[in-house]
Amino acid sequence: MTAVVDAPDPPGQPPRSSRPPLWRDVRVIRVVLQVAFAVAVVALISYLYSNLVNNLTDQGIRTDFGYLDRPAGFQILGSDFRAAQSVSDALLVGLSNTVSVAVIGIVLTMILGIIVGVASLSSNWLVRKAATVYVETLRNLPPLIVIVFMFTAVILRLPRIEAPAEWFDLAIWTNRTISIAAPSLDAGSGGFLLALVTALVLAAVVWIVRTRHNARTGQPHHRVALSGLAFLAVVVLAWSLTGRPLGIDRPEVVGRQLEGGWSMSANYAAVLFALVIYTASYIAEIVRGSIQAVHKGQTEASLALALSGFQRLRFVILPQAFRIAVPAIANQFLNLTKNSSLAIAVGFAELTQVTFIVIGNGNPAPQSILLLMFAYLFLSLVIALFTNIVNRRFQLVSR
């Protein structure tokens, strides 16, 4: 093959440029295409926005967010919200209900999912099959069906308020309200709260010191026991010195309602329990798969060290399994939060239902739906932020 050699520049003339012309330059073409795409997106959004504004104007519908300051004109069951309060206050009540279902649901789902996931790998035939039946049943049902079933077939079948079911004066449940005992603080308990914060700080310091001691010497850290002991010691001492301001608020039946304790309405309980057992079936499968993804040599090594079954899970298997499971579990947290919008089927006043009521009272729908979308986007970003922090914490650090 004969090599092609460019002809030298003629003497006395400037050297020819080696760059291709602009219409053949890849870098120029890439920038032009990106600018054209951005202009097209902006033009499309501008067209849709102007079309929306023109249609709303033609129909006499306001295009601003001033309606948020108007009286809502409706009440929200299970809250102190009054009809004279503003629409924005109503949306905040709905948002707080959604956050309540999401936060408590995530904690309970995580606990139940881990238990069922570990149980699905049990050597006990009955436990393993029971976990498998639970997972295969729940995850093949639509979440809306689970919520409606929980509300109509479980919660509404609880005893009526005239004959409530009780458990050691610590919990009372009826088909209208479920109430459990909760800690209560007397008036003027500021000193005890300050001591409580001090106890938390002291427990954190003990945890850090014992962790560093373990890393430096290799000796057992016992950080859980020692931190808990330090916390309890400070709390008990402060409780005795400040006149015992911390007590237990027990629920009781007063007339036709429950008072005291921590209460939740029937529709809130149905949504919470349904989403917990539904989402836990997915997390259980993620935990099971992540445990099986851990190399079997890790189990063999822990057996060689004579670790018990709990110690193998606690110190060897689960820390490595969670490194695999965290991203997938984060997706389930997002699904649980978004599925809380299905609570509208049982009348629970979460954010979506409150938004629909606001629209039904003659307020503009586009702005209300836009706020609803931004609210769920904000919640999803917050959950993603925390799970990314946890995921980064579990990642291996190469040295």
Side-chain angles (χ1 to χ4, degrees):
M1 179 180 294
T2 304
V4 178
V5 180
D6 295 337
D9 297 329
Q13 295 186 4
R16 291 178 297 182
S17 174
S18 60
R19 298 187 59 179
L22 293 179
W23 60 87
R24 294 180 58 188
D25 192 327
V26 175
R27 292 175 296 180
V28 175
I29 294 174
R30 186 182 299 130
V31 172
V32 170
L33 289 178
Q34 291 179 0
V35 171
F37 179 77
V39 171
V41 171
V42 172
L44 178 61
I45 294 176
S46 177
Y47 168 74
L48 294 176
Y49 177 75
S50 62
N51 188 45
L52 172 65
V53 171
N54 292 334
N55 289 335
L56 292 177
T57 304
D58 293 341
Q59 298 178 18
I61 301 176
R62 58 192 306 172
T63 57
D64 59 359
F65 289 88
Y67 72 97
L68 294 175
D69 297 327
R70 297 194 308 194
F74 61 89
Q75 295 182 339
I76 298 179
L77 296 178
S79 71
D80 298 330
F81 182 78
R82 302 181 303 277
Q85 291 183 255
S86 63
V87 172
S88 59
D89 290 339
L91 294 176
L92 288 177
V93 173
L95 179 62
S96 66
N97 287 340
T98 298
V99 171
S100 175
V101 171
V103 173
I104 299 177
I106 285 174
V107 174
L108 297 180
T109 296
M110 195 64 194
I111 296 173
L112 182 60
I114 293 175
I115 293 174
V116 177
V118 173
S120 64
L121 297 173
S122 172
S123 58
N124 186 298
W125 183 88
L126 182 60
V127 173
R128 186 173 66 253
K129 291 301 178 183
T132 302
V133 170
Y134 170 85
V135 171
E136 296 301 329
T137 302
L138 267 298
R139 73 171 183 168
N140 288 308
L141 294 174
L144 179 61
I145 301 299
V146 180
I147 292 174
V148 174
F149 177 84
M150 181 63 69
F151 182 66
T152 58
V154 178
I155 300 297
L156 292 184
R157 301 303 174 186
L158 293 177
R160 298 170 62 86
I161 188 66
E162 293 82 2
E166 302 183 18
W167 187 72
F168 295 111
D169 291 336
L170 295 176
I172 300 177
W173 54 90
T174 71
N175 59 357
R176 295 171 55 184
T177 308
I178 297 175
S179 185
I180 59 177
S184 64
L185 286 174
D186 297 336
S189 56
F192 179 76
L193 291 177
L194 182 60
L196 199 62
V197 175
T198 304
L200 288 173
V201 174
L202 179 61
V205 170
V206 172
W207 183 285
I208 295 173
V209 170
R210 293 304 302 174
T211 301
R212 291 179 177 177
H213 178 73
N214 170 260
R216 188 174 62 254
T217 64
Q219 296 179 353
H221 46 68
H222 301 303
R223 56 192 178 193
V224 176
L226 293 177
S227 299
L229 189 61
F231 177 80
L232 287 177
V234 174
V235 170
V236 171
L237 181 62
W239 182 68
S240 302
L241 296 178
T242 55
R244 302 178 178 182
L246 179 63
I248 298 179
D249 187 13
R250 302 176 186 274
E252 58 180 349
V253 179
V254 179
R256 293 182 56 82
Q257 61 183 1
L258 298 181
E259 293 186 356
W262 182 70
S263 300
M264 50 184 168
S265 62
N267 43 20
Y268 174 85
V271 173
L272 178 64
F273 295 155
L275 291 180
V276 166
I277 63 172
Y278 174 79
T279 311
S281 64
Y282 285 89
I283 292 183
E285 273 298 273
I286 295 171
V287 171
R288 182 191 63 79
S290 301
I291 290 176
Q292 290 183 324
V294 177
H295 196 276
K296 65 178 182 180
Q298 298 294 317
T299 302
E300 294 171 353
S302 59
L303 288 172
L305 293 174
L307 297 181
S308 65
F310 176 78
Q311 289 175 327
R312 284 202 303 275
L313 281 174
R314 168 66 181 82
F315 298 108
V316 180
I317 305 300
L318 286 182
Q320 299 182 68
F322 276 120
R323 190 173 296 140
I324 305 170
V326 166
I329 289 177
N331 289 332
Q332 296 307 317
F333 291 166
L334 296 176
N335 288 337
L336 186 148
T337 303
K338 291 181 288 187
N339 285 338
S340 66
S341 62
L342 298 174
I344 193 173
V346 295
F348 177 58
E350 47 74 48
L351 183 59
T352 301
Q353 191 193 27
V354 173
T355 300
F356 286 176
I357 295 175
V358 168
I359 296 173
N361 281 2
N363 295 298
Q367 295 93 315
S368 301
I369 296 297
L370 187 64
L371 291 177
L372 179 65
M373 293 168 59
F374 273 113
Y376 280 111
L377 176 62
F378 174 75
L379 293 178
S380 298
L381 290 178
V382 171
I383 293 173
L385 173 64
F386 281 103
T387 52
N388 286 337
I389 293 174
V390 174
N391 189 33
R392 191 176 298 115
R393 181 71 177 80
F394 274 113
Q395 284 181 347
L396 286 176
V397 179
S398 58
R399 300 176 179 175

